[in-house]
Amino acid sequence: MLLPAAVLVLTLILGAAASLRFSADSDPPPAPVAEAVPEAIQPPDVVEAPSVPQPQLPVESVTVEPERPAPQATVAEAVVPEAAIPEFVVPEGRAGLIEALRRGELRPGSQADIARWATAARASGQSIETERLTGGAMDVFVIEKDFMVPGRLTGAHAVIFVLDAGRPFPRGDLGHSLVLDVPSGSCIGVTCGIMLSR
């Protein structure tokens, strides 16, 4: 029994020695191969198109005139005809009175202006009662210049206009407003009879 065991051990030793000798005689194992890295993609070479001959056009002589300045309007041409200018539109009611005050066509009046008219009216022989005129229910304005009466001066919006000598009579519809003409002592307006009666 010893013999077969010794043979077995010897076979193993000789096999291992032969294996080592075969490894030493053979080429070393190859080194691990790295994966190939693809080269960067290069754009294809740009190929220029073949040049095409351009047709030669005949060259003509061109004369360039200098620019002329735009004509300037003369004073006569720049004046707009009066018919083309829109007439000033008078605002209605209180706004029109305020605009007339601003333009200097009217000035605020007082009880003294009404008293001047009443003196002239009595001097002309009229029998008048001024209590309604001086009661302060109606605003008083003295006409200074040419004046267009604003619309809608009726009812509670009616006013008293005092007209002194040399002033132009107002244009437009008085509505229920009055004009007290100081030089003649007369009252003009649809409500004169009501305002001056007893």
Side-chain angles (χ1 to χ4, degrees):
M1 286 227 166
L2 234 230
L3 186 57
V7 173
L8 182 62
V9 170
L10 186 58
T11 308
L12 287 174
I13 292 174
L14 287 175
S19 172
L20 285 176
R21 187 177 45 107
F22 177 74
S23 299
D25 291 341
S26 66
D27 292 331
V33 179
E35 290 185 29
V37 177
E39 290 184 25
I41 299 175
Q42 299 292 328
D45 291 333
V46 177
V47 178
E48 290 186 25
S51 63
V52 178
Q54 297 293 323
Q56 296 294 326
L57 299 175
V59 177
E60 294 179 15
S61 173
V62 178
T63 304
V64 178
E65 293 184 27
E67 273 190 44
R68 295 181 187 163
Q72 300 295 319
T74 63
V75 173
E77 293 170 341
V79 175
V80 178
E82 232 179 271
I85 300 172
E87 186 175 327
F88 173 74
V89 178
V90 178
E92 293 185 335
R94 292 275 178 213
L97 294 171
I98 292 169
E99 180 63 24
L101 287 166
R102 187 188 69 74
R103 294 167 62 114
E105 299 168 351
L106 298 178
R107 70 170 171 81
S110 65
Q111 298 304 317
D113 294 308
I114 294 175
R116 284 187 304 110
W117 170 82
T119 302
R122 288 188 183 110
S124 69
Q126 296 183 51
S127 174
I128 57 168
E129 180 58 52
T130 60
E131 186 177 311
R132 290 187 181 139
L133 294 178
T134 58
M138 296 173 74
D139 290 331
V140 179
F141 297 95
V142 178
I143 298 171
E144 294 289 314
K145 297 179 182 177
D146 183 36
F147 168 64
M148 173 66 84
V149 178
R152 300 190 180 195
L153 292 181
T154 57
H157 302 288
V159 297
I160 299 170
F161 296 110
V162 177
L163 183 64
D164 285 319
R167 303 288 192 247
F169 194 83
R171 297 174 287 126
D173 182 13
L174 290 172
H176 296 154
S177 296
L178 307 174
V179 175
L180 303 179
D181 184 20
V182 174
S184 69
S186 62
C187 178
I188 300 107
V190 296
T191 58
C192 284
I194 298 168
M195 296 301 290
L196 301 174
S197 64
R198 293 179 188 218

